[in-house]
C-alpha cells in the first residue's frame, strides 16, 4: 500500500493552509506556491495514472482500518484519469487567474482554489459514499467562496441562489444516504455492491428510493434538466477562471452517477436499472435540447457559454444512460473533451469581457478591442469544439456516442436529437461570434467615453493568460490527434468499471488484508450491527 | 416512539420545504435549517431506535445501539452548521449591497442589453 494515493488530497489541503496562514497579503508568493503545488499534484496524478494503467486497483485504508469499517480511498483507471484531468485544469485556471490579475480582485483566491481542488480530488478518489458527501461539501464550500470572489451585487445574489440550491442538494444527499444505510447497513461502496446485489425482495422498494434520490442529487451537481436552474445564472455571473474550473464540477456529478450506478446499482440489477435508465435518457434528451436552444437564444456570451455547458452535459448523459461498455467509453471521451473545451470557452468569453470594459459581453456592436483577431480565433476553436464540428475532438466524441448507441433501441430518436441540436448550437455560436467579433464599430464612430477607459485599463501580463488558453486548445488538439490511444485506454477503463468483482475484491479482500486486522474489525462490526444483521457474511472473513 | 420521530421528521420537512419556496432570503435560510434538522433526525433513525443501549463495547451490555449513524449525524451537524454560517453571511452581503432580500434576480441589467438591431 503506497501513500501516494492520498497525496492529491493532502497536498492542496496543506498548501491552502500555508497560503492562508503565512502569505495572506502577498499575492506573488501565493501565485508561486499555488502553481508549484498544482504542478506537483499533476506529477503525482500522472504517476498514479501510470500506476493505475496496469489495471491494478489500489486501495488505501485511512487510519489502517480494514475496508467495510474504515474509510477507503480507491484508485482505479477511472479515478486516476479524473484526478489527472482535474490537476491539469486547475493548473491552467490558476495560471490564467494569475495572468489576468483575477486573483487580486478579492481575498484568498488561491487558498480557496486549493481547497476546491482538494474536494474534487477527494470526490474522485473516495470509496465510501458518506465520504463522498463530505468531499462534496468541501468542494462546494470552496466553490461558494470562489463564486462570489471579487464581489458585486449581481454576483452575490446569483451566489445566494447557487448556495441555497446546493444546500438543498446536500440535504437530499443525506436523506438518500440514510435510506441506503437503513436498508443495507453499510456505506462502503464495495460492501454496498455486495449487499445490494443480495438484497431481499421486500427491501427492493426502499433501496430503489435510495438509488433514485442519489441520482437526483448527482443530477443537481451535473445540471441535468429539470435540476439545472442554478447553472446559467451562476456560470454567467461567476468570475471566469472560477467558471472554467467549474467545468470539472458538473463532471463530478457525472462521475458519481457513473461510479454509483455501475458499481453499486449495476446494470445487472434490473429492479433499479429499469427505473434509472429511462429516467436518465429522457432527462438527457431534454437537457441537450434546452441547452442548445439556450445557446441560440442567448444575448450575452456568458449565458451562451453557460447553456453550452448544459447542452454538453446532455450529450454526456445520453451516452451514459444506457450503461453498456461501448457507450460508456464514448461518454468518458466526451467528458474529457467537454471539460477542456468548456474551460476554453469560458476563458475566451472572459477575455472578451475584460477588453470590452466591465462585463458587457452582450451582442452589441462596440469598437474592436485589443487582440481581437487572436481572441476571435480562440472563440472560433472553442465554438467548433463545443458544437461538435470537425476537426476537433467534439466531433470525435459525438461520433463515438452516435456509433455506440446505434445498436440500442431508440437509436433513431437519439441520433435525431443529437444531430438537430448540434445544428442549433452551430447557428447559436455563429450568431454570437459574428455579433461580437465581426459587427464592430470603427473606433472613431464610437462615443468618446467608450474609448477612454480602454487606454486607462491596466495591462496585466497577458502572455500568461494566452498561454493558459492555448494550452487548453493544445489539449483539445492532442485529444483529437491521439483519439485512438485515448479510446483504447478508455475502453480498458470501462472494462474495469463493468468488472465489478475486481473492485469489490480489491477493496474487501485486498492483498494487504492481513488476518489479524480483518478478524478484529469483523468482530467489532458484527457486534455493532445487531439492528440489521441479516446479511452478516463478510467477504473479509472469507479472505483468510 | 417511532410515530413521534417519524411525524417530527415529516413536520420539519414540510415546514422546511414550504419556507424554501418563499421569495425572500430569510425564510429560505430558515427553511434550509429546518430541512437540515429533519435530515439529522432521519439519519439518526436510520440506525433503528433503541432505548438505553450503549453504542460502544462494554462487558455488561445487554445489547447495542448502532454507533455509526451517531457519527454520521455529528458530521452532518457540523457541516450544516458551517453551511448555515456561510449562507447567512452571503444573504447579508447580497441584502446590504442590493438593498433587497428577494431571491429572484431581475432580468439582465441595462449594460448587457443589446442595442436594437444588433441581434439577428
Amino acid at each position: 500500500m503506497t501513500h501516494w494515493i492520498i497525496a492529491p488530497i493532502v497536498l492542496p489541503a496543506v498548501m491552502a493552509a500555508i497560503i492562508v496562514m503565512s502569505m495572506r497579503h502577498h499575492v506573488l508568493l501565493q501565485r508561486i506556491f499555488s502553481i508549484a503545488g498544482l504542478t506537483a499534484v499533476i506529477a503525482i496524478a500522472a504517476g498514479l495514472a501510470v500506476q493505475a494503467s496496469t489495471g491494478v486497483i489500489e486501495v488505501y485504508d485511512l487510519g489502517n482500518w480494514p475496508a467495510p469499517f474504515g474509510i477507503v480511498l480507491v484508485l482505479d483507471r477511472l479515478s486516476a484519469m479524473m484526478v489527472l484531468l482535474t490537476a491539469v485544469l486547475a493548473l491552467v485556471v490558476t495560471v490564467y487567474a494569475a495572468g489576468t490579475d483575477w486573483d487580486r480582485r478579492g481575498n484568498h483566491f488561491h487558498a480557496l482554489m486549493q481547497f476546491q481542488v482538494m474536494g474534487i480530488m477527494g470526490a474522485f478518489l473516495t470509496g465510501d459514499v458518506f465520504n463522498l458527501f463530505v468531499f462534496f461539501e468541501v468542494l462546494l464550500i470552496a466553490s461558494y467562496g470562489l463564486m462570489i470572489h471579487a464581489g458585486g451585487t449581481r454576483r452575490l445574489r446569483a451566489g445566494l441562489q447557487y448556495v441555497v440550491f446546493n444546500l438543498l442538494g446536500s440535504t437530499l444527499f443525506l436523506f438518500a444516504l440514510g435510506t441506503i444505510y437503513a436498508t443495507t447497513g453499510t456505506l462502503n461502496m464495495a460492501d454496498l455492491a455486495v449487499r445490494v446485489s443480495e438484497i431481499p425482495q421486500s427491501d427492493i422498494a426502499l433501496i430503489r428510493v435510495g438509488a433514485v434520490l442519489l441520482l437526483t442529487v448527482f443530477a443537481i451537481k451535473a445540471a441535468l434538466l429539470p435540476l439545472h436552474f442554478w447553472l446559467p445564472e451562476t456560470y454567467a455571473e461567476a468570475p471566469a477562471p472560477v467558471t472554467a474550473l467549474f467545468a470539472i464540477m458538473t463532471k463530478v456529478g457525472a462521475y458519481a452517477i457513473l461510479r454509483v450506478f455501475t458499481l453499486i446499482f449495476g446494470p445487472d440489477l434490473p429492479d433499479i436499472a429499469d427505473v434509472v435508465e429511462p429516467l436518465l435518457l429522457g432527462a438527457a434528451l431534454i437537457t441537450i435540447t434546452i441547452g442548445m436552444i439556450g445557446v441560440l437564444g442567448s444575448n450575452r456570451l456568458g449565458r451562451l457559454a453557460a447553456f453550452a455547458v448544459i447542452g454538453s452535459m446532455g450529450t454526456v448523459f445520453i451516452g451514459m444512460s444506457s450503461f453498456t461498455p461501448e457507450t460508456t467509453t464514448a461518454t468518458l471521451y466526451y467528458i474529457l473533451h467537454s471539460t477542456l473545451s468548456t474551460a476554453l470557452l469560458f476563458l475566451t468569453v472572459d477575455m472578451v469581457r475584460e477588453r470590452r470594459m466591465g462585463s458587457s459581453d452582450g451582442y452589441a456592436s462596440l469598437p474592436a478591442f485589443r487582440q481581437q483577431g487572436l481572441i476571435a480565433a480562440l472563440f472560433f476553436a472553442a465554438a467548433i469544439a463545443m458544437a461538435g464540428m470537425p476537426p476537433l475532438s467534439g466531433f470525435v466524441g459525438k461520433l463515438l456516442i452516435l456509433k455506440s448507441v446505434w445498436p440500442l433501441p431508440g437509436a433513431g430518436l437519439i441520433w435525431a436529437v443529437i444531430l438537430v441540436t448540434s445544428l442549433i448550437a452551430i447557428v447559436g455560436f455563429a450568431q454570437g461570434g459574428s455579433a461580437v467579433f465581426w459587427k464592430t464599430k470603427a473606433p472613431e464612430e464610437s462615443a468618446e467615453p467608450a474609448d477612454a477607459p480602454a487606454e486607462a485599463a491596466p495591462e496585466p501580463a497577458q502572455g500568461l493568460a494566452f498561454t493558459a488558453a492555448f494550452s487548453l486548445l493544445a489539449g483539445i488538439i492532442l485529444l483529437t490527434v491521439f483519439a485512438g490511444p485515448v479510446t483504447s485506454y478508455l475502453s480498458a477503463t470501462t472494462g474495469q468499471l463493468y468488472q465489478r468483482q475486481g473492485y469489490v475484491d480489491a477493496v474487501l479482500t485486498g492483498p494487504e488484508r492481513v488476518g489479524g486486522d480483518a478478524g478484529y474489525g469483523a468482530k467489532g462490526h458484527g457486534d455493532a450491527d445487531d439492528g440489521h444483521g441479516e446479511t452478516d457474511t463478510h467477504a473479509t472473513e472469507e479472505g483468510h | 416512539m417511532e410515530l413521534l420521530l417519524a411525524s417530527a421528521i415529516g413536520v420539519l420537512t414540510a415546514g422546511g420545504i414550504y419556507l424554501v419556496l418563499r421569495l425572500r432570503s430569510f425564510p429560505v435560510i430558515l427553511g434550509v435549517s429546518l430541512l437540515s434538522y429533519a435530515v439529522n433526525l432521519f439519519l439518526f433513525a436510520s440506525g433503528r431506535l433503541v432505548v438505553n443501549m450503549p453504542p460502544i463495547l462494554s462487558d455488561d451490555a445487554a445489547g447495542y445501539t448502532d454507533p455509526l449513524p451517531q457519527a454520521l449525524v455529528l458530521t452532518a451537524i457540523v457541516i450544516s452548521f458551517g453551511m448555515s454560517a456561510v449562507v447567512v453571511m452571503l444573504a447579508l452581503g447580497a441584502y446590504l449591497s442590493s438593498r433587497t432580500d428577494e431571491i429572484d434576480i431581475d432580468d439582465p441589467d441595462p449594460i448587457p442589453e443589446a442595442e436594437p438591431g444588433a441581434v439577428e
Side-chain angles (χ1 to χ4, degrees):
Chain A
M1 180 167 75
T2 77
H3 289 276
W4 285 110
I5 302 178
I6 201 172
I9 303 172
V10 171
L11 187 61
V14 172
M15 208 51 96
I18 293 176
I19 290 173
V20 168
M21 303 278 205
S22 61
M23 48 192 79
R24 184 170 351 168
H25 305 296
H26 204 306
V27 176
L28 184 66
L29 270 183
Q30 287 183 10
R31 286 176 182 171
I32 292 171
F33 271 74
S34 193
I35 290 176
L38 288 172
T39 315
V41 171
I42 290 186
I44 294 166
L48 289 178
V50 170
Q51 194 184 344
S53 66
T54 57
V56 180
I57 297 179
E58 283 281 332
V59 179
Y60 183 80
D61 300 337
L62 288 167
N64 223 0
W65 284 90
F69 318 114
I71 293 169
V72 289
L73 300 181
V74 183
L75 180 84
D76 63 353
R77 284 169 188 265
L78 178 61
S79 47
M81 180 185 91
M82 296 308 283
V83 163
L84 185 58
L85 180 67
T86 311
V88 170
L89 186 69
L91 180 67
V92 169
V93 165
T94 311
V95 167
Y96 181 85
T100 48
D101 268 356
W102 261 107
D103 52 355
R104 276 184 202 278
R105 296 181 202 180
N107 293 321
H108 306 308
F109 179 88
H110 289 291
L112 286 169
M113 180 68 95
Q114 298 285 329
F115 275 128
Q116 170 102 56
V117 170
M118 169 201 171
I120 297 175
M121 296 294 189
F124 286 142
L125 284 172
T126 185
D128 182 285
V129 210
F130 197 82
N131 199 228
L132 182 65
F133 165 75
V134 173
F135 278 119
F136 264 36
E137 296 304 306
V138 172
L139 75 89
L140 282 176
I141 205 157
S143 78
Y144 301 158
L146 284 175
M147 157 77 207
I148 56 166
H149 178 75
T153 303
R154 277 187 73 79
R155 190 168 289 154
L156 275 175
R157 298 182 70 185
L160 183 64
Q161 286 186 350
Y162 171 66
V163 173
V164 168
F165 214 101
N166 276 298
L167 283 181
L168 295 178
S170 305
T171 313
L172 215 52
F173 201 162
L174 284 176
F175 273 116
L177 292 182
T179 314
I180 289 173
Y181 182 76
T183 327
T184 62
T186 182
L187 288 169
N188 179 286
M189 289 191 197
D191 203 19
L192 269 176
V194 175
R195 299 221 184 167
V196 168
S197 62
E198 55 198 30
I199 201 144
Q201 198 59 35
S202 55
D203 282 349
I204 285 281
L206 264 180
I207 200 74
R208 198 186 292 156
V209 169
V212 173
L213 275 177
L214 266 189
L215 183 71
T216 316
V217 174
F218 298 146
I220 291 178
K221 305 282 183 265
L224 199 62
L225 245 74
L227 302 166
H228 71 293
F229 297 109
W230 60 273
L231 192 141
E233 206 60 43
T234 307
Y235 277 34
E237 296 300 334
V242 174
T243 327
L245 184 69
F246 282 10
I248 195 84
M249 297 244 299
T250 44
K251 308 304 182 291
V252 176
Y255 164 86
I257 290 183
L258 192 58
R259 174 69 81 198
V260 167
F261 288 89
T262 55
L263 179 63
I264 303 177
F265 309 111
D268 47 341
L269 286 173
D271 291 302
I272 295 167
D274 286 353
V275 184
V276 167
E277 289 177 11
L279 258 182
L280 212 50
L281 180 62
L285 289 175
I286 303 174
T287 308
I288 188 173
T289 314
I290 298 291
M292 295 314 188
I293 291 177
V295 166
L296 183 61
S298 308
N299 59 352
R300 294 194 294 153
L301 282 185
R303 292 190 76 84
L304 174 136
F307 276 105
V309 173
I310 295 181
S312 78
M313 287 318 287
T315 318
V316 165
F317 279 106
I318 285 178
M320 200 180 280
S321 62
S322 35
F323 290 106
T324 64
E326 294 75 35
T327 52
T328 307
T329 307
T331 308
L332 289 178
Y333 184 87
Y334 200 81
I335 285 180
L336 288 178
H337 148 77
S338 137
T339 308
L340 295 176
S341 54
T342 312
L344 176 62
L345 184 60
F346 275 109
L347 293 189
T348 315
V349 169
D350 182 60
M351 290 181 178
V352 175
R353 267 186 208 169
E354 292 297 304
R355 284 167 182 72
R356 290 177 81 172
M357 280 74 70
S359 59
S360 76
D361 54 349
Y363 293 175
S365 40
L366 292 173
F369 41 83
R370 279 176 293 126
Q371 297 149 325
Q372 171 151 350
L374 202 54
I375 294 169
L378 276 176
F379 180 82
F380 187 59
I384 286 180
M386 288 300 283
M389 281 202 296
L392 292 181
S393 55
F395 176 69
V396 183
K398 278 195 177 165
L399 203 62
L400 282 173
I401 289 183
L402 289 178
K403 187 170 151 241
S404 65
V405 296
W406 183 243
L408 303 173
L413 178 67
I414 298 176
W415 271 60
V417 169
I418 291 187
L419 292 177
V420 170
T421 52
S422 298
L423 180 65
I424 297 177
I426 291 170
V427 176
F429 278 115
Q431 171 190 305
S434 54
V436 169
F437 294 109
W438 281 351
K439 288 193 164 184
T440 49
K441 286 180 194 161
E444 52 273 14
E445 284 173 33
S446 73
E448 219 37 60
D451 234 4
E455 252 72 270
E459 187 131 8
Q462 287 295 338
L464 274 183
F466 278 108
T467 312
F470 275 103
S471 58
L472 282 176
L473 183 58
I476 295 175
I477 292 172
L478 284 180
L479 195 60
T480 318
V481 173
F482 294 106
V486 170
T487 14
S488 59
Y489 178 85
L490 291 178
S491 60
T493 307
T494 314
Q496 200 180 41
L497 207 54
Y498 284 92
Q499 192 68 48
R500 297 200 300 163
Q501 204 51 47
Y503 188 100
V504 171
D505 287 346
V507 173
L508 294 182
T509 61
E512 70 275 11
R513 305 253 175 280
V514 275
D517 266 339
Y520 168 73
K523 179 171 173 289
H525 186 74
D527 284 340
D529 203 46
D530 275 345
H532 24 240
E534 309 103 336
T535 53
D536 229 348
T537 49
H538 277 303
T540 349
E541 287 167 346
E542 291 152 24
H544 47 102
Chain B
M1 191 167 62
E2 277 82 1
L3 178 70
L4 191 65
L5 191 77
S7 43
I9 295 174
V11 169
L12 281 173
T13 312
I17 289 176
Y18 174 78
L19 285 175
V20 162
L21 297 178
R22 306 271 85 196
L23 282 173
R24 306 256 165 191
S25 54
F26 184 63
V28 168
I29 292 170
L30 283 187
V32 172
S33 311
L34 282 189
L35 278 176
S36 74
Y37 299 150
V39 83
N40 289 344
L41 287 179
F42 183 78
L43 274 183
F44 192 71
S46 72
R48 307 296 188 274
L49 296 177
V50 183
V51 182
N52 284 339
M53 296 287 185
I56 48 171
L57 288 174
S58 71
D59 290 333
D60 51 347
Y64 293 98
T65 179
D66 193 342
L68 190 68
Q70 308 191 4
L72 300 186
V73 170
L74 213 56
T75 317
I77 289 175
V78 172
I79 290 180
S80 70
F81 181 71
M83 290 297 178
S84 308
V86 171
V87 75
V88 166
M89 286 307 295
L90 203 58
L92 267 180
Y95 172 65
L96 290 178
S97 70
S98 64
R99 305 311 304 174
T100 168
D101 65 342
E102 277 177 24
I103 291 280
D104 265 353
I105 306 181
D106 353 310
D107 245 8
D109 38 356
I111 318 150
E113 201 54 60
E115 288 171 20
V119 183
E120 284 150 317

